[in-house]
Amino acid sequence: MQLICIFAFVMSKKAQNFFLLFGLAVLGVMVCQLDFQEAWRGMCHAGYWFVAVVVLWAFLYIFNASAWYIIIRSDGSPETRKLSFSYIYRLTVSGFALNYATPGGLMGGEPYRIMSISPFIGKEKASSSVILYAMTHMFSHFWFWAISIILFLITQTLTTNLTILLALCTGFCILGLWFFMAGYRKGLANRVLSVARHIPILKKWARPFVESHKEQLDTIDSQISALHAQNPKTFVTAVLLELVCRIISSLEIYFILLVLMPEVSFIQCILVLAFTSLFANLLFFIPLQLGGREGGFLMSITAFGISSGSAAFVALMVRLRELIWTAIGLALIKFSGK
């Protein structure tokens, strides 16, 4: 995340074409790796449920865009009113598309969002709003995983191995929630860059950057902490929007599994998504989380006694949906630029 701040100050509008071309190149590589016959058979077998999955994400992005939109407008400044919700929605879809296609995730979508709204609200405000949204997005993930652990304890039978695994996941969630709460209270830009100053690979650029942009970084941190301290209602609303989005997105797995087993429950789909997203996020450095997402589905779905073939089918349908929305997001880059 520390690279977000750097890109915010050095990015020009010419980089928009770079984002588009790079994203298209990566998307092309991913598409070429598909087994088209298998993909077509899967889409035909899923039928209208696959259409429902694709359309579902048009609504889910509304939650994501709404969370970022209220963060941007939280200070009530006149310049934030220049940004329409439709523009933020397009940037949200494009930003997630770039994150899907870019190794490291936040290396693509977040700098692009900062670049796109900086002309309207300034670099510092743009940087703080994007960092705040990225924090809120991940913060909601930790809450989603924590809630899923509780659901698992209530609905599933524990074994010794599962107990150990849940204990590790619980500790990870507590650590993550503490980290982000500290970041909300004290800001995150200076703290992350201070750590980067002591990392051998990063310290060469981190130290001069911090020294030359100390005032801007302080401004970003003050804006980050202000949302939590001065606008608790906005903070809670943004987190809840993202959390609800995580829960509703379980419908994607539910719709796909209904094709194979009508008796599947929505609670099972929430637990499958929770474990798969946790496993995939640990492999954030892989473009499109190739392998991580499939492996997560295989382990989580088969844990409920569902066949590995069903897990592969779910993974394929989700991958196709991601490719479709990645292509849509990349196409919207040109429209967002206007």
Side-chain angles (χ1 to χ4, degrees), residues 171-205:
F172 177 70
C173 288
I174 292 174
L175 181 62
L177 292 172
W178 169 83
F179 174 80
F180 281 104
M181 286 303 298
Y184 279 119
R185 289 195 303 269
K186 302 177 182 179
L188 199 65
N190 274 306
R191 298 182 69 191
V192 171
L193 285 171
S194 295
V195 174
R197 294 174 65 182
H198 298 89
I199 299 176
I201 299 177
L202 303 177
K203 64 182 181 180
K204 290 183 179 180
W205 57 260

Side-chain angles (χ1 to χ4, degrees), residues 30 40 80 89 111 132 135 171 174 208-209 213 266 291 305 308 338:
M30 304 307 160
W40 177 251
T80 60
Y89 181 86
L132 268 169
M135 291 171 61
I174 292 174
F209 181 82
H213 296 96
F266 184 62
S308 58
K338 299 178 182 179

Side-chain angles (χ1 to χ4, degrees), residues 44-74:
C44 292
H45 184 53
Y48 60 84
W49 284 116
F50 180 71
V51 178
V53 165
V54 175
V55 174
L56 171 66
W57 278 85
F59 292 96
L60 291 176
Y61 283 127
I62 294 176
F63 287 89
N64 300 134
S66 298
W68 186 26
Y69 189 63
I70 64 173
I71 288 174
I72 293 174
R73 296 173 64 95
S74 61

Side-chain angles (χ1 to χ4, degrees), residues 292-306:
R293 184 67 56 86
E294 286 75 9
F297 276 126
L298 181 63
M299 289 185 287
S300 58
I301 291 179
T302 54
F304 290 104
I306 306 173

